[in-house]
Amino acid sequence: MLMNTQTPIADARATLAAHYDLAPSLAAAEALADRYARVARVIPQAEWAVHAPYIREIDRLKRERGAVILAHNYMTPEIFHGVADVSGDSLALAIEATRVPQQVIVQCGVHFMAETSKILNPEKTVLIPDARAGCSLASSITAADIAAMRAQYPGARVVSYVNTTAAVKAASDICCTSANALEVVEAMPGDTVIMTPDGFLARNVAAKSTKRIVWWEGTCMVHERFTAEELRAYRAADPDIAIIAHPECTPEVVAEADYTGSTSAMIGWVRANRPRKVVMVTECSMSDNVAAELPETEFVRPCNICPHMKRITLENILWSLHTMTEEVTVDPALIPKARAAVEAMIALGRKPG
Ligand code: 13P
Ligand code: SF4
C-alpha cells in the first residue's frame, strides 16, 4: 500500500512522525472545539482526538505554503468540516478554482477535478493527495472514442461531463456537470447532441430535452448500484420519506425520487425542505456531512462508497502539503482546447436565470 503513487506508506508515516506530533491528543481536540461542534453528531469525541493533530498541522502547513483546500461534497466529515476552505459540487469547485487567490490548490476529490483546476489555472501548483483517485466515468472514454462518435454523427456538438480526462475535454465542444447538463445541451445548436461519457445522465437529460441525444455508455460505479426496488421498499416502510437522487443514477431510480440534482443541489434541497426522514441516493459521506448540521432530520444511508474519493485522507493531505506532491500536470498542448470547453460551460452557468 502506498501513501500516494510515489512512497510506501510505512516510509511516509515515519517521515510524518519525525516532523509532527501526530499522537491522539485531547488538548489538540479541545483547541479545535469550534470545528468539532460542526461534526459532533457524526464523529465520536475519541475519534476527533485522533484527527485533531492532523488538522492542526494541515492548518499550519496551509498557511506556510499559501495553499487552499478545495473539497468535494463526498469527502469524509473530518475533511469536509475539518480542513476544507471551499467545498461543493464539481461546478462550484471549477468556478472557485478560478477565484481563489492562493498559488497552491490542494484538490480533495478525484483526479479529473484536480485536472480541471489545473486546466483553469495552468500557472498555479495543483496538488492531489493521491493521484490514483480516479473515476469509472473518466476512465470509460478516450479522445479517439469522441472522434469516432463525431464521425458517426457528423455536425453534432459534443457535450462531455466534467468527469473526463483533459484529453477528452479538449476533444469536446463544451463540458457540463450534473448541475447544468440540461441547460448546456439545450444551448447547443442543431437537433442532435452527443453526450459523453455517462449514459444514465444522458438518458435523464434526454427525458427532459428538446434535442435528440446520443450517448456513450459509461457509468458511475457508485450510482449504477442503486435500484428502483430498494427505493420503493424505503417508501413502503415509510410513505413520508423524502427520496432525493443524483442524476448519475438510472432513469428508473430517478423516477422514484422526489428530487434530482447535483450533489450541492441535493444538499440545498435537504437544507431548504428539512424533511423528517430522507434518503440521499448518492455517495455515502454526503449524508454524514449534511447530518452533521441538521439534527432534526433522520438520514437513511444506503451506503455506497466511492473507493476513489475515499483515497483522500487527512494523512495524505498532510503528506501532500509536507512534500508538495502529487503535482497534477496537464499536457500544455491540451490546455487551450480543454480550457475552452470548461470555460464555455462556466459562462453558460453564470447567465442569469
Ligand atoms: P457533482 O458534480 O454533482 O458533485 O457530482 C460529481 C460526481 O462525481 C458525482 O459522482
Ligand atoms: Fe466517479 Fe462515481 Fe466516484 Fe463520482 S462517485 S467520482 S462519478 S466513480
Side-chain angles (χ1 to χ4, degrees):
M1 197 175 158
L2 304 169
M3 178 69 81
N4 54 31
T5 56
Q6 318 290 327
T7 313
I9 196 155
D11 293 356
R13 283 192 176 145
T15 304
L16 289 179
H19 284 84
Y20 309 104
D21 180 5
L22 297 171
S25 162
L26 289 175
E30 188 51 42
L32 291 166
D34 54 336
R35 265 177 264 182
Y36 183 61
R38 295 186 218 154
V39 294
R41 293 188 64 248
V42 291
I43 299 182
Q45 231 163 356
E47 195 184 316
W48 188 247
V50 175
H51 296 315
Y54 287 87
I55 295 173
R56 179 190 59 208
E57 300 306 333
I58 289 169
D59 280 356
R60 204 173 52 71
L61 271 184
K62 251 193 326 191
R63 284 193 299 274
E64 251 177 62
R65 308 280 199 227
V68 64
I69 293 185
L70 305 186
H72 186 259
N73 290 324
Y74 291 164
M75 290 296 101
T76 50
E78 68 277 11
I79 295 174
F80 187 87
H81 293 287
V83 297
D85 297 299
V86 177
S87 57
D89 62 12
S90 304
L91 180 61
L93 295 181
I95 292 171
E96 284 304 318
T98 66
R99 292 180 175 161
V100 291
Q102 289 87 346
Q103 279 306 306
V104 178
I105 293 174
V106 182
Q107 194 89 31
C108 293
V110 291
H111 195 264
F112 77 80
M113 295 177 176
E115 256 191 354
T116 305
S117 289
K118 184 66 182 177
I119 288 164
L120 293 170
N121 298 277
E123 75 295 345
K124 291 193 181 183
T125 301
V126 177
L127 305 175
I128 185 162
D130 190 330
R132 296 168 300 169
C135 170
S136 63
L137 284 168
S139 61
S140 74
I141 189 162
T142 64
D145 296 325
I146 301 273
M149 287 196 84
R150 283 195 193 276
Q152 203 180 343
Y153 302 101
R157 297 297 162 100
V158 176
V159 176
S160 285
Y161 203 25
V162 283
N163 299 39
T164 44
T165 61
V168 167
K169 287 183 175 77
S172 306
D173 294 299
I174 188 168
C175 288
C176 74
T177 73
S178 57
N180 58 20
L182 179 62
E183 290 72 17
V184 171
V185 165
E186 291 301 297
M188 292 298 103
D191 297 335
T192 302
V193 174
I194 298 168
M195 279 190 83
T196 80
D198 189 340
F200 292 140
L201 178 70
R203 285 175 176 85
N204 289 325
V205 169
K208 295 183 185 159
S209 176
T210 59
K211 306 280 182 183
R212 170 184 174 235
I213 298 178
V214 293
W215 56 78
W216 185 256
E217 289 289 7
T219 58
C220 162
M221 62 191 285
V222 177
H223 291 91
E224 70 177 347
R225 287 167 53 199
F226 294 105
T227 65
E229 291 71 42
E230 72 184 288
L231 301 189
R232 282 195 286 272
Y234 287 127
R235 190 101 62 197
D238 184 346
D240 283 342
I241 196 168
I243 297 179
I244 61 174
H246 194 275
E248 289 168 12
C249 294
T250 67
E252 295 73 29
V253 163
V254 166
E256 292 297 328
D258 300 303
Y259 176 77
T260 303
S262 76
T263 55
S264 286
M266 291 171 79
I267 294 173
W269 190 94
V270 177
R271 280 190 186 132
N273 290 280
R274 307 278 167 136
R276 177 182 58 77
K277 195 171 183 179
V278 66
V279 50
M280 295 178 103
V281 188
T282 191
E283 211 269 351
C284 212
S285 289
M286 214 169 83
S287 292
D288 292 338
N289 291 334
V290 195
E293 63 175 271
L294 296 177
E296 70 279 13
T297 296
E298 183 187 339
F299 288 80
V300 178
R301 294 179 174 85
C303 209
N304 285 349
I305 283 178
C306 174
H308 303 293
M309 291 280 183
K310 293 300 136 1
R311 282 191 181 278
I312 311 301
T313 62
L314 286 178
E315 191 179 43
N316 59 25
I317 295 169
L318 180 60
W319 178 252
S320 189
L321 280 163
H322 177 75
T323 57
M324 294 296 279
T325 61
E326 298 187 55
E327 191 169 351
V328 176
T329 55
V330 176
D331 179 351
L334 292 174
I335 287 186
K337 282 190 169 168
R339 185 177 179 144
V342 177
E343 286 184 342
M345 167 192 77
I346 291 176
L348 271 183
R350 281 182 180 157
K351 275 188 184 157

